[in-house]
Amino acid sequence: FLVLQEDLQSVANAVPVSFTSAPGERGTIKAKSNFNVSEDVAALRKAIEGIGTTEKTLIDILTHRSSSQKQAISKAYEETTKRILVNDLKGDTRGNFEKLLVALARSPALNDAKWLIKAMKGAGTDINILIEILASRTNKQIKELSAAYAEKTKKTLIQNLKTEVSGDFGKAILLLAEGARDESTNVNADKAREDAKALYHAGEKRLGTDESKFIEILCKRSIPHLRQTILEYKNISGKTLQKSIEKEMSGKLEELLVAIVKCVMSTPAYFAEKLYKSMKGAGTDETTLTRVMVSRGEVDMLDIRAEFKKLYQRSLYKEISSDASDIYGDCLKMICGED
């Protein structure tokens, strides 16, 4: 029990890396020093316009420039050629490799917006994507993806979500989509204990569950506060908050709240698990693999690699090597970097 206490305490004291890192700090995709936009545009044109596409050049540039550098390249490319880089990439490459390059060329906010649009398109909603994006992004990221979403769809994300989600799950998703989570870094242990007690009394301690209390606390409180609350909850209840949620709830709401708890504890571990599941067993879920590698490449891929090794005793790079073949796999390996 003492060891567990220490483990939990170290979790509470750890810096919530992904929620505090500036882009590039813990990522594998970093800004290129002595960046020359016209050189890159010329190299991309040569790779795309020449006979047969030179994939190596495309991969090299798109995995070794920061997001803002790539936006500068896209702008200059359009000014020079009167064509749109993303469209040229689509016309020149195929399949999973095409989707990967296009996502690497777009801004993170536009990628998130596009993934959410796709998740809500047609009959039924892909709730896994809603959960992954809205549970793991910071307020700033949510504000930026919402702006990109509104620009693309001419409607707000909140407006569209209201037609897609309902019930307690809907309430929680809409709260997250506001991007209004408390961002204070000060933790008041008494308040965290109060929240832990409130959660205990709303779930384990009563007949039936008061979902609204879980939603309010998990969707609004700051990340450092929630880490302390999770610690206090274990002391009060004797079991982890995640285990209690899994016991007390079911369906979409359970999945969402568990994802929030996992991201609070360690966003890199949450994404390491996502990557593992996307490659586990027969067949690969390339859509998830692409989305996670691109969205975390500039944020916390170094930490994801470390968590992957810790959780599964194997290297993420090697796992990708054995799972994703050809040029698509080569590009993913460049994002991952050897560990």
Side-chain angles (χ1 to χ4, degrees), residues 97-136:
F97 181 54
E98 175 205 314
K99 289 183 185 123
L100 181 55
L101 285 186
V102 165
L104 283 167
R106 283 192 184 126
S107 71
L110 183 56
N111 273 330
D112 279 349
K114 288 261 188 192
W115 291 323
L116 287 170
I117 290 164
K118 193 162 179 276
M120 292 189 268
K121 213 174 172 179
T125 307
D126 186 339
I127 64 142
N128 291 327
I129 292 178
L130 295 191
I131 290 172
E132 178 191 305
I133 292 175
L134 295 173
S136 67

Short mmCIF file of all heavy atoms in Angstrom, two decimals, residues 97-136:
data_model
loop_
_atom_site.label_atom_id
_atom_site.label_comp_id
_atom_site.label_asym_id
_atom_site.label_seq_id
_atom_site.Cartn_x
_atom_site.Cartn_y
_atom_site.Cartn_z
N PHE A 97 -0.60 6.63 -47.42
CA PHE A 97 0.54 7.56 -47.53
C PHE A 97 0.03 8.96 -47.87
O PHE A 97 0.48 9.95 -47.30
CB PHE A 97 1.51 7.04 -48.59
CG PHE A 97 2.72 7.90 -48.78
CD1 PHE A 97 3.54 8.24 -47.70
CD2 PHE A 97 3.08 8.37 -50.05
CE1 PHE A 97 4.67 9.05 -47.87
CE2 PHE A 97 4.20 9.17 -50.22
CZ PHE A 97 5.00 9.51 -49.14
N GLU A 98 -0.92 9.03 -48.79
CA GLU A 98 -1.51 10.32 -49.17
C GLU A 98 -2.15 11.01 -47.96
O GLU A 98 -1.91 12.17 -47.67
CB GLU A 98 -2.56 10.11 -50.27
CG GLU A 98 -3.32 11.36 -50.65
CD GLU A 98 -4.70 11.06 -51.25
OE1 GLU A 98 -4.80 10.17 -52.11
OE2 GLU A 98 -5.67 11.72 -50.83
N LYS A 99 -2.97 10.24 -47.23
CA LYS A 99 -3.65 10.82 -46.06
C LYS A 99 -2.66 11.33 -45.02
O LYS A 99 -2.86 12.35 -44.38
CB LYS A 99 -4.58 9.77 -45.42
CG LYS A 99 -5.80 9.46 -46.28
CD LYS A 99 -6.73 8.49 -45.59
CE LYS A 99 -7.88 8.11 -46.51
NZ LYS A 99 -7.97 6.66 -46.71
N LEU A 100 -1.56 10.57 -44.86
CA LEU A 100 -0.54 10.95 -43.88
C LEU A 100 0.17 12.25 -44.29
O LEU A 100 0.32 13.16 -43.48
CB LEU A 100 0.47 9.79 -43.75
CG LEU A 100 1.62 9.93 -42.77
CD1 LEU A 100 1.13 10.24 -41.37
CD2 LEU A 100 2.47 8.65 -42.75
N LEU A 101 0.56 12.34 -45.56
CA LEU A 101 1.25 13.55 -46.03
C LEU A 101 0.34 14.77 -45.96
O LEU A 101 0.77 15.86 -45.55
CB LEU A 101 1.74 13.37 -47.48
CG LEU A 101 2.95 12.48 -47.72
CD1 LEU A 101 3.35 12.53 -49.19
CD2 LEU A 101 4.14 12.86 -46.86
N VAL A 102 -0.91 14.60 -46.37
CA VAL A 102 -1.86 15.72 -46.35
C VAL A 102 -2.04 16.22 -44.91
O VAL A 102 -2.01 17.43 -44.66
CB VAL A 102 -3.22 15.29 -46.97
CG1 VAL A 102 -4.32 16.27 -46.63
CG2 VAL A 102 -3.07 15.15 -48.48
N ALA A 103 -2.18 15.29 -43.95
CA ALA A 103 -2.33 15.69 -42.55
C ALA A 103 -1.07 16.40 -42.04
O ALA A 103 -1.15 17.37 -41.29
CB ALA A 103 -2.66 14.48 -41.68
N LEU A 104 0.10 15.93 -42.47
CA LEU A 104 1.35 16.57 -42.05
C LEU A 104 1.48 17.99 -42.61
O LEU A 104 2.11 18.85 -42.01
CB LEU A 104 2.56 15.74 -42.51
CG LEU A 104 2.88 14.49 -41.70
CD1 LEU A 104 3.88 13.60 -42.45
CD2 LEU A 104 3.43 14.82 -40.31
N ALA A 105 0.87 18.22 -43.77
CA ALA A 105 0.97 19.54 -44.41
C ALA A 105 -0.03 20.55 -43.83
O ALA A 105 0.15 21.74 -43.94
CB ALA A 105 0.76 19.41 -45.92
N ARG A 106 -1.09 20.05 -43.23
CA ARG A 106 -2.12 20.95 -42.67
C ARG A 106 -1.76 21.42 -41.27
O ARG A 106 -0.98 20.77 -40.57
CB ARG A 106 -3.46 20.19 -42.57
CG ARG A 106 -4.19 20.03 -43.87
CD ARG A 106 -5.60 19.54 -43.58
NE ARG A 106 -6.31 19.28 -44.82
CZ ARG A 106 -6.90 18.13 -45.13
NH1 ARG A 106 -6.89 17.14 -44.26
NH2 ARG A 106 -7.52 17.99 -46.28
N SER A 107 -2.42 22.47 -40.83
CA SER A 107 -2.19 22.94 -39.45
C SER A 107 -2.88 21.99 -38.47
O SER A 107 -3.88 21.36 -38.84
CB SER A 107 -2.77 24.35 -39.27
OG SER A 107 -4.18 24.29 -39.27
N PRO A 108 -2.37 21.88 -37.24
CA PRO A 108 -3.00 20.99 -36.25
C PRO A 108 -4.49 21.31 -36.05
O PRO A 108 -5.31 20.40 -35.94
CB PRO A 108 -2.20 21.25 -34.97
CG PRO A 108 -0.88 21.73 -35.44
CD PRO A 108 -1.14 22.51 -36.70
N ALA A 109 -4.83 22.61 -36.01
CA ALA A 109 -6.23 22.99 -35.78
C ALA A 109 -7.12 22.53 -36.93
O ALA A 109 -8.22 22.02 -36.71
CB ALA A 109 -6.34 24.51 -35.61
N LEU A 110 -6.62 22.68 -38.15
CA LEU A 110 -7.41 22.25 -39.31
C LEU A 110 -7.55 20.73 -39.34
O LEU A 110 -8.62 20.19 -39.65
CB LEU A 110 -6.78 22.76 -40.61
CG LEU A 110 -7.56 22.44 -41.90
CD1 LEU A 110 -9.00 22.94 -41.84
CD2 LEU A 110 -6.86 23.00 -43.13
N ASN A 111 -6.48 20.02 -38.97
CA ASN A 111 -6.58 18.55 -38.88
C ASN A 111 -7.67 18.14 -37.90
O ASN A 111 -8.53 17.32 -38.23
CB ASN A 111 -5.25 17.94 -38.43
CG ASN A 111 -4.31 17.68 -39.58
OD1 ASN A 111 -4.74 17.42 -40.70
ND2 ASN A 111 -3.02 17.76 -39.33
N ASP A 112 -7.64 18.73 -36.69
CA ASP A 112 -8.64 18.38 -35.68
C ASP A 112 -10.04 18.68 -36.20
O ASP A 112 -10.97 17.87 -36.03
CB ASP A 112 -8.38 19.15 -34.37
CG ASP A 112 -7.29 18.52 -33.51
OD1 ASP A 112 -6.89 17.38 -33.81
OD2 ASP A 112 -6.84 19.16 -32.55
N ALA A 113 -10.20 19.85 -36.84
CA ALA A 113 -11.51 20.23 -37.37
C ALA A 113 -11.96 19.22 -38.42
O ALA A 113 -13.11 18.76 -38.41
CB ALA A 113 -11.44 21.63 -37.97
N LYS A 114 -11.07 18.86 -39.33
CA LYS A 114 -11.41 17.90 -40.41
C LYS A 114 -11.78 16.53 -39.83
O LYS A 114 -12.71 15.89 -40.29
CB LYS A 114 -10.21 17.73 -41.34
CG LYS A 114 -9.96 18.94 -42.21
CD LYS A 114 -10.56 18.71 -43.59
CE LYS A 114 -10.19 19.79 -44.56
NZ LYS A 114 -10.99 19.70 -45.79
N TRP A 115 -11.02 16.09 -38.82
CA TRP A 115 -11.32 14.79 -38.20
C TRP A 115 -12.69 14.82 -37.52
O TRP A 115 -13.43 13.84 -37.57
CB TRP A 115 -10.21 14.39 -37.22
CG TRP A 115 -8.91 14.05 -37.90
CD1 TRP A 115 -8.76 13.40 -39.09
CD2 TRP A 115 -7.59 14.35 -37.43
NE1 TRP A 115 -7.41 13.28 -39.39
CE2 TRP A 115 -6.67 13.84 -38.40
CE3 TRP A 115 -7.07 14.98 -36.30
CZ2 TRP A 115 -5.28 13.96 -38.26
CZ3 TRP A 115 -5.68 15.09 -36.16
CH2 TRP A 115 -4.80 14.58 -37.13
N LEU A 116 -13.02 15.94 -36.88
CA LEU A 116 -14.33 16.07 -36.22
C LEU A 116 -15.46 16.13 -37.25
O LEU A 116 -16.51 15.52 -37.05
CB LEU A 116 -14.36 17.30 -35.32
CG LEU A 116 -13.53 17.19 -34.02
CD1 LEU A 116 -13.43 18.54 -33.33
CD2 LEU A 116 -14.11 16.15 -33.06
N ILE A 117 -15.23 16.84 -38.34
CA ILE A 117 -16.25 16.92 -39.41
C ILE A 117 -16.54 15.51 -39.92
O ILE A 117 -17.69 15.10 -40.07
CB ILE A 117 -15.77 17.85 -40.56
CG1 ILE A 117 -15.75 19.31 -40.09
CG2 ILE A 117 -16.67 17.70 -41.79
CD1 ILE A 117 -14.96 20.26 -40.98
N LYS A 118 -15.46 14.76 -40.17
CA LYS A 118 -15.60 13.40 -40.69
C LYS A 118 -16.33 12.50 -39.67
O LYS A 118 -17.17 11.68 -40.02
CB LYS A 118 -14.22 12.83 -41.01
CG LYS A 118 -14.25 11.55 -41.83
CD LYS A 118 -12.91 11.29 -42.48
CE LYS A 118 -12.91 10.00 -43.29
NZ LYS A 118 -12.67 8.80 -42.52
N ALA A 119 -16.03 12.71 -38.38
CA ALA A 119 -16.64 11.91 -37.32
C ALA A 119 -18.15 12.13 -37.24
O ALA A 119 -18.89 11.26 -36.79
CB ALA A 119 -16.00 12.23 -35.97
N MET A 120 -18.61 13.31 -37.67
CA MET A 120 -20.03 13.63 -37.56
C MET A 120 -20.76 13.56 -38.90
O MET A 120 -21.93 13.91 -39.00
CB MET A 120 -20.20 15.03 -36.96
CG MET A 120 -19.76 15.11 -35.52
SD MET A 120 -20.20 16.68 -34.77
CE MET A 120 -18.74 17.63 -35.05
N LYS A 121 -20.05 13.10 -39.91
CA LYS A 121 -20.63 13.06 -41.26
C LYS A 121 -21.55 11.84 -41.44
O LYS A 121 -21.25 10.77 -40.93
CB LYS A 121 -19.49 12.96 -42.27
CG LYS A 121 -19.75 13.66 -43.58
CD LYS A 121 -18.49 13.61 -44.41
CE LYS A 121 -18.72 14.09 -45.80
NZ LYS A 121 -17.47 14.06 -46.56
N GLY A 122 -22.65 12.03 -42.17
CA GLY A 122 -23.52 10.90 -42.51
C GLY A 122 -24.25 10.36 -41.30
O GLY A 122 -24.33 10.99 -40.25
N ALA A 123 -24.76 9.15 -41.47
CA ALA A 123 -25.55 8.54 -40.38
C ALA A 123 -24.61 8.07 -39.28
O ALA A 123 -23.57 7.48 -39.55
CB ALA A 123 -26.34 7.37 -40.93
N GLY A 124 -24.98 8.35 -38.04
CA GLY A 124 -24.17 7.90 -36.90
C GLY A 124 -22.96 8.78 -36.71
O GLY A 124 -22.50 9.45 -37.64
N THR A 125 -22.45 8.78 -35.51
CA THR A 125 -21.30 9.62 -35.16
C THR A 125 -20.19 8.72 -34.65
O THR A 125 -20.43 7.79 -33.89
CB THR A 125 -21.71 10.59 -34.02
OG1 THR A 125 -22.89 11.28 -34.42
CG2 THR A 125 -20.62 11.59 -33.71
N ASP A 126 -18.97 9.00 -35.09
CA ASP A 126 -17.83 8.23 -34.59
C ASP A 126 -17.41 8.84 -33.25
O ASP A 126 -16.61 9.78 -33.19
CB ASP A 126 -16.68 8.28 -35.59
CG ASP A 126 -15.52 7.38 -35.18
OD1 ASP A 126 -15.43 7.04 -33.98
OD2 ASP A 126 -14.72 7.00 -36.04
N ILE A 127 -17.98 8.30 -32.19
CA ILE A 127 -17.75 8.92 -30.87
C ILE A 127 -16.31 8.76 -30.40
O ILE A 127 -15.82 9.54 -29.60
CB ILE A 127 -18.73 8.42 -29.79
CG1 ILE A 127 -18.54 6.94 -29.53
CG2 ILE A 127 -20.16 8.78 -30.12
CD1 ILE A 127 -18.69 6.57 -28.09
N ASN A 128 -15.61 7.73 -30.91
CA ASN A 128 -14.22 7.54 -30.47
C ASN A 128 -13.35 8.74 -30.81
O ASN A 128 -12.48 9.14 -30.04
CB ASN A 128 -13.62 6.28 -31.12
CG ASN A 128 -14.25 5.04 -30.57
OD1 ASN A 128 -14.62 4.99 -29.39
ND2 ASN A 128 -14.42 4.02 -31.40
N ILE A 129 -13.61 9.33 -31.98
CA ILE A 129 -12.82 10.49 -32.40
C ILE A 129 -13.21 11.72 -31.58
O ILE A 129 -12.36 12.49 -31.15
CB ILE A 129 -12.96 10.73 -33.92
CG1 ILE A 129 -12.27 9.57 -34.66
CG2 ILE A 129 -12.35 12.06 -34.34
CD1 ILE A 129 -12.35 9.62 -36.15
N LEU A 130 -14.51 11.90 -31.34
CA LEU A 130 -14.96 13.02 -30.50
C LEU A 130 -14.28 12.92 -29.13
O LEU A 130 -13.76 13.91 -28.61
CB LEU A 130 -16.48 12.98 -30.28
CG LEU A 130 -17.43 13.17 -31.45
CD1 LEU A 130 -18.86 13.36 -30.92
CD2 LEU A 130 -17.06 14.35 -32.30
N ILE A 131 -14.30 11.73 -28.56
CA ILE A 131 -13.73 11.53 -27.23
C ILE A 131 -12.23 11.80 -27.25
O ILE A 131 -11.72 12.56 -26.43
CB ILE A 131 -14.02 10.09 -26.71
CG1 ILE A 131 -15.51 9.92 -26.39
CG2 ILE A 131 -13.16 9.77 -25.47
CD1 ILE A 131 -15.94 8.50 -26.05
N GLU A 132 -11.52 11.19 -28.19
CA GLU A 132 -10.06 11.34 -28.23
C GLU A 132 -9.65 12.81 -28.34
O GLU A 132 -8.78 13.28 -27.60
CB GLU A 132 -9.50 10.57 -29.43
CG GLU A 132 -7.99 10.70 -29.58
CD GLU A 132 -7.50 10.16 -30.91
OE1 GLU A 132 -7.79 8.98 -31.22
OE2 GLU A 132 -6.84 10.91 -31.65
N ILE A 133 -10.27 13.53 -29.26
CA ILE A 133 -9.86 14.92 -29.48
C ILE A 133 -10.28 15.82 -28.32
O ILE A 133 -9.47 16.57 -27.77
CB ILE A 133 -10.39 15.44 -30.84
CG1 ILE A 133 -9.67 14.69 -31.98
CG2 ILE A 133 -10.20 16.95 -30.98
CD1 ILE A 133 -10.17 14.99 -33.38
N LEU A 134 -11.53 15.73 -27.90
CA LEU A 134 -12.01 16.67 -26.89
C LEU A 134 -11.49 16.36 -25.48
O LEU A 134 -11.38 17.25 -24.64
CB LEU A 134 -13.54 16.77 -26.92
CG LEU A 134 -14.08 17.37 -28.23
CD1 LEU A 134 -15.59 17.28 -28.29
CD2 LEU A 134 -13.63 18.81 -28.42
N ALA A 135 -11.14 15.11 -25.22
CA ALA A 135 -10.60 14.77 -23.89
C ALA A 135 -9.12 15.10 -23.75
O ALA A 135 -8.62 15.27 -22.65
CB ALA A 135 -10.82 13.28 -23.58
N SER A 136 -8.41 15.22 -24.88
CA SER A 136 -6.95 15.34 -24.79
C SER A 136 -6.41 16.73 -25.13
O SER A 136 -5.25 17.02 -24.87
CB SER A 136 -6.28 14.33 -25.73
OG SER A 136 -6.56 14.67 -27.08
#
